[in-house]
Amino acid sequence: MAVDYLVIVVYLAGMLAMGWWGMRRARSKSEFLVAGRRLGPAMYSGTMAAIVLGGASTIGGVGLGYQYGLSGAWMVFTIGLGLLALSVFFSARIARLRVYTVSEMLDLRYGGGRAGIISGLVMWAYTLMLAVTSTIAYATIFDVLFDLNRTLAIVLGGSIVVAYSTLGGMWSITLTDMVQFVVKTIGVLLLLLPIAVVKAGGFGEMKAQLPTEYFDPLGIGGETIFTYVLIYTFGMLIGQDIWQRVFTARSDRTARWGGTIAGTYCLAYALAGAVIGTAARVLYPKLGSADDAFATIVKEELPVGVRGLVLAAALAAVMSTSSGALIACATVANNDIWSRLRGIGRSAPADDHDEVKGNRAFILLMGLAVIATAIAIDNVVEALTVAYNLLVGGLLVPILGGLVWKRGTVYGALASVVVGGVAVVVLMATHGILANEPVYYGLLASLAAYVIVSLATPATDAAVLAAWRERLAGRSPELASEPVAAPQ
């Protein structure tokens, strides 16, 4: 294991070094939070794929393959579908808004700033729980690597992510995500996938050893697939962590085509995870938990050195999602909640240095909160479900409604957020966190509230809509602190 340890230590040291390098570039709010809106297609697609494919997609995706066979790919597959839909239909308009948060978009669309703080609270809860789920996953990986206890593993992994994210913001996260994307591609797709299939005797032997339903594309069940679409496909359309990456694109074309490439990569990654899990079922049919499949096949079947690289790939998956969720959580907490509580529209805006310093402090604060929460919570699936139920049930309708329906009003948006969010929380309390009803009925309640209240209240002021259309078209004056990207 000495070689494996060396691979992991070098990898972790590299992450910290990139955090230090990113700190030298992040000298303004735009540079710190959205990498100066300057990412080209290669970096954009790599970092976008890295953030959406985290520990749940890697360890959880293999676990679903172990439990259900090839149909276990559906969870990650719906993530890829959501990223494709976002990139093709919405990313260009989102990038042209040149904002920092989803709540700022709601303020622009509906006017008055009244929707911002409520939507900010919901989005903050989502990003916090998303960061927590990724941080919990460190326990599984470091247990395999170093036989560390759960708390120490979470503190070690979480501290490294908090360190490089705090130092350089989005520039550090972008650089580390590109490395993580390469490591994941090599470790999971090019090494673990073929080795697992060969060790299991090839596809012919896998089919001979397992029931036929393991090779049924719909074996996981239609209701489960539908729920995945509601939670993950629609969740990809509106999450702050995803939008903040869209804001980094240097042009409409980069956002559209770079995201399309990343979404297609997710589809391949989904199938790979399911196949690896199916192979693990052949090799280890009596594991205590399906989520142990990834760690078991890596630990028992891979040669020295390769094992370290694949475990580094798992760490890469967890770190990319964790860091993306962390900076999103801190951005929302600072820009949408704290700044509003202090008073919107202060006469003297902070200079760039103070903006960076403030956002850096919030990343550190939110990082400590994430680590503490991860230590207290034990169930990754429940935490992730809470995050996406709140996001989809509370924010999907007012965000997409604002983009496609001009009759939507600020009162309709507020009612939608409150009614949908409350319905989700109540239904999770009464039906269970993992039940399908919270997101189904929460989304319907949110939609009904949005339409009814919007139609019952005065239409959005024409001047607000005119300014919104100018912003969507990219004709709005840029912020003084930000460079204007050349159109492509």
Side-chain angles (χ1 to χ4, degrees):
M1 288 288 287
V3 176
D4 297 327
Y5 291 158
L6 180 62
V7 171
I8 298 298
V9 169
V10 169
Y11 169 76
L12 294 176
M15 297 299 99
L16 292 174
M18 289 191 177
W20 184 262
W21 188 89
M23 181 176 66
R24 302 178 63 183
R25 299 199 62 168
R27 299 186 182 279
S28 69
K29 179 179 179 180
S30 175
E31 295 282 352
F32 191 83
L33 294 182
V34 290
R37 308 188 196 274
R38 292 190 292 179
L39 297 192
M43 290 193 75
Y44 178 85
S45 59
T47 58
M48 184 63 87
I51 188 176
V52 300
L53 296 174
S57 300
T58 303
I59 299 171
V62 171
L64 287 172
Y66 183 88
Q67 189 172 359
Y68 298 105
L70 298 187
S71 66
W74 273 106
M75 183 187 77
V76 184
F77 200 82
T78 54
I79 290 174
L81 292 178
L83 188 51
L84 286 170
L86 173 73
S87 302
V88 173
F89 298 113
F90 299 108
S91 63
R93 282 183 282 179
I94 293 170
R96 285 196 293 266
L97 291 174
R98 301 187 74 79
V99 294
Y100 292 103
T101 68
V102 174
S103 294
E104 288 178 16
M105 166 264 168
L106 293 174
D107 285 347
L108 285 171
R109 166 59 181 83
Y110 296 110
R114 284 165 288 189
I117 192 164
I118 296 177
S119 62
L121 287 169
V122 175
M123 189 64 77
W124 175 79
Y126 157 73
T127 52
L128 178 72
M129 294 307 293
L130 186 62
V132 166
T133 60
S134 299
T135 304
I136 291 173
Y138 293 125
T140 300
I141 300 169
F142 281 108
D143 177 58
V144 176
L145 281 172
F146 306 117
D147 196 25
L148 295 179
N149 69 61
R150 181 178 182 276
T151 299
L152 186 56
I154 288 172
V155 171
L156 175 60
S159 297
I160 293 171
V161 170
V162 171
Y164 73 70
S165 301
T166 302
L167 286 172
M170 187 59 81
W171 269 121
S172 294
I173 293 170
T174 297
L175 294 169
T176 55
D177 276 0
M178 278 305 297
V179 175
Q180 289 158 356
F181 171 73
V182 173
V183 171
K184 279 192 288 191
T185 301
I186 296 172
V188 176
L189 296 184
L190 301 183
L191 292 176
L192 183 57
L193 174 61
I195 290 173
V197 172
V198 170
K199 290 284 187 178
F203 285 103
E205 183 64 20
M206 290 163 63
K207 287 185 176 181
Q209 292 285 337
L210 296 172
T212 55
E213 55 263 28
Y214 267 73
F215 301 91
D216 179 358
L218 303 178
I220 199 170
E223 184 177 354
T224 298
I225 295 171
F226 180 68
T227 303
Y228 284 159
V229 170
L230 277 185
I231 293 177
Y232 297 116
T233 301
F234 286 114
M236 287 295 107
L237 300 179
I238 58 174
Q240 169 68 25
D241 53 322
I242 309 302
W243 277 40
Q244 199 157 342
R245 294 310 174 98
V246 176
F247 299 151
T248 66
R250 72 184 180 198
S251 68
D252 297 356
R253 183 180 178 86
T254 296
R256 185 180 298 112
W257 289 107
T260 300
I261 293 170
T264 304
Y265 178 89
C266 291
L267 304 184
Y269 200 88
L271 184 58
V275 171
I276 292 167
T278 305
R281 184 75 180 201
V282 174
L283 294 167
Y284 308 100
K286 296 182 179 180
L287 290 179
S289 169
D291 285 339
D292 293 336
F294 179 88
T296 301
I297 197 169
V298 169
K299 191 172 184 179
E300 301 296 333
E301 300 297 334
L302 299 185
V304 173
V306 173
R307 180 169 51 210
L309 184 58
V310 172
L311 287 171
L315 268 178
V318 174
M319 285 184 165
S320 56
T321 300
S322 181
S323 59
L326 176 59
I327 194 172
C329 179
T331 303
V332 170
N334 189 17
N335 290 265
D336 294 335
I337 300 174
W338 177 243
S339 64
R340 294 170 192 269
L341 292 176
R342 287 191 300 166
I344 304 173
R346 289 170 294 154
S347 58
D351 61 29
D352 282 345
H353 177 74
D354 288 340
E355 290 273 20
V356 172
K357 185 178 178 181
N359 281 290
R360 184 172 281 137
F362 265 88
I363 290 180
L364 179 59
L365 181 63
M366 291 300 104
L368 295 175
V370 165
I371 292 172
T373 307
I375 292 171
I377 295 177
D378 190 41
N379 193 308
V380 179
V381 176
E382 287 189 359
L384 192 64
T385 302
V386 169
Y388 275 98
N389 281 353
L390 285 171
L391 178 71
V392 174
L395 291 180
L396 177 68
V397 170
I399 292 172
L400 294 190
L403 289 171
V404 302
W405 191 41
K406 67 179 182 179
R407 186 60 182 81
T409 69
V410 64
Y411 299 105
L414 286 169
S416 179
V417 174
V418 173
V419 171
V422 170
V424 164
V425 171
V426 171
L427 288 167
M428 283 193 295
T430 56
H431 288 73
I433 290 176
L434 298 180
N436 293 326
E437 287 83 0
V439 70
Y440 291 172
Y441 298 123
L443 190 55
L444 288 174
S446 179
L447 178 61
Y450 183 69
V451 173
I452 293 170
V453 176
S454 290
L455 292 176
T457 52
T460 303
D461 186 86
V464 172
L465 287 178
W468 166 254
R469 286 191 292 269
E470 287 293 299
R471 196 70 170 249
L472 277 180
R475 294 190 293 266
S476 176
E478 302 298 338
L479 298 175
S481 62
E482 296 192 14
V484 180
Q488 293 187 1

